[in-house]
Amino acid sequence: MKNVDLTIPEILPVSWLKKGIETASSGVRTLPDGRVQFWIRHSPVKGVTPKMLVWWFSHLEGKMAYEGGEFEKYRVWHPEDHVHASYEKRLPDGSIGPGASIRLVEYLGRNKKYIVNIVTDIEKLNETGYIHNPKLEGKYKVARMEYTFAPSGNDTVYENCLIIGWKGWTWRIVRPLFLKFVFNKERGSAWIKHNIEEVGQFERFLPELYRKENSRRSERSAV
């Protein structure tokens, strides 16, 4: 994995739409194969379309103009918890999609105990949803993230879940220790809160950013 400064940065000095957990339905369940699923059904994401979300997840790197400043896009998405996003692996043509991977660093609730420092492999990215598979230390696949997008007028019905564990008997053996020392219910609750906040933030910045970036692409194509 790339070397990244893991210091928790100062909270980004921007306004943001910080939705509370009461705005979504969420919970935790054990799947039939023994894996543990933390799930969220968000309130509709206003003014954000699935097409915008596909663009966003394939353009996480770099800076954006926001409220008179230039900030890392990933940090604008969650001004308190996010630290770093970069593409660890791109597709042969330089684009991002299934087969690419992302390096992510964040602290759930700005809590040092809840650091997320992973490389995650993209399995699916289209207007119906997004699936990626985080690996601890860039090597060990221990989780799965599944998102679904459904258009609702100019909005998106957005659901996602974090599945902890892997299929097979070895997971059933180590599950009690893993859920106690690596990903307990408190960390799961922090993930749910963090995710509701970042998904809500899309309403604040993504429609304008998407229009600006696509306007620039159209101008370049016309030259």
Side-chain angles (χ1 to χ4, degrees):
M1 296 196 299
K2 300 175 183 176
N3 289 326
V4 173
D5 184 356
L6 301 182
T7 304
I8 301 177
E10 295 294 324
I11 295 173
L12 209 62
V14 297
S15 60
W16 66 305
L17 184 62
K18 195 174 183 180
K19 289 187 177 181
I21 57 174
E22 73 282 354
T23 65
S25 300
S26 62
V28 57
R29 63 170 68 97
T30 300
L31 301 178
D33 60 16
R35 293 179 299 165
V36 178
Q37 180 191 67
F38 295 86
W39 60 270
I40 308 170
R41 296 189 186 97
H42 299 269
S43 57
V45 189
K46 302 294 185 182
V48 174
T49 64
K51 189 174 183 178
M52 293 179 189
L53 293 168
V54 173
W55 177 87
W56 170 254
F57 287 114
S58 57
H59 293 82
L60 285 175
E61 287 183 332
K63 294 185 177 183
M64 61 178 282
Y66 188 68
E67 296 191 341
E70 287 281 330
F71 305 104
E72 293 292 333
K73 289 186 288 186
Y74 188 64
R75 295 213 58 217
V76 172
W77 189 21
H78 198 298
E80 295 184 6
D81 295 358
H82 284 179
V83 178
H84 171 87
S86 61
Y87 293 107
E88 190 85 358
K89 176 185 175 184
R90 291 177 174 269
L91 300 181
D93 64 359
S95 66
I96 300 299
S101 58
I102 312 172
R103 173 75 184 282
L104 299 173
V105 179
E106 59 191 30
Y107 291 86
L108 305 178
R110 297 180 66 80
N111 188 330
K112 290 183 178 180
K113 294 189 301 182
Y114 299 156
I115 183 174
V116 176
N117 180 17
I118 59 169
V119 171
T120 186
D121 297 333
I122 298 174
E123 178 180 323
K124 170 184 175 179
L125 180 56
N126 60 40
E127 292 185 34
T128 67
Y130 176 39
I131 298 175
H132 62 96
N133 299 283
K135 298 181 292 185
L136 287 177
E137 304 297 328
K139 301 176 183 178
Y140 309 107
K141 180 181 173 182
V142 296
R144 180 177 175 86
M145 299 278 287
E146 297 181 348
Y147 305 59
T148 60
F149 312 140
S152 178
N154 293 322
D155 309 331
T156 293
V157 177
Y158 189 117
E159 300 183 9
N160 65 324
C161 67
L162 167 62
I163 302 172
I164 301 294
W166 54 90
K167 296 180 180 179
W169 62 269
T170 56
W171 166 247
R172 293 182 182 273
I173 292 175
V174 304
R175 181 176 62 187
L177 292 175
F178 193 94
L179 295 178
K180 180 177 181 179
F181 295 109
V182 180
F183 206 100
N184 56 26
K185 287 186 177 181
E186 290 75 20
R187 184 174 181 133
S189 296
W191 175 81
I192 288 173
K193 179 177 182 292
H194 168 92
N195 202 268
I196 291 170
E197 291 170 349
E198 67 181 8
V199 170
Q201 176 71 341
F202 279 138
E203 296 179 12
R204 179 74 73 184
F205 75 89
L206 185 54
E208 182 180 0
L209 176 65
Y210 181 79
R211 284 191 293 269
K212 285 182 179 179
E213 292 296 326
N214 280 272
S215 176
R216 289 172 186 162
R217 286 208 300 272
S218 296
E219 291 173 0
R220 289 194 295 267
S221 298
V223 174

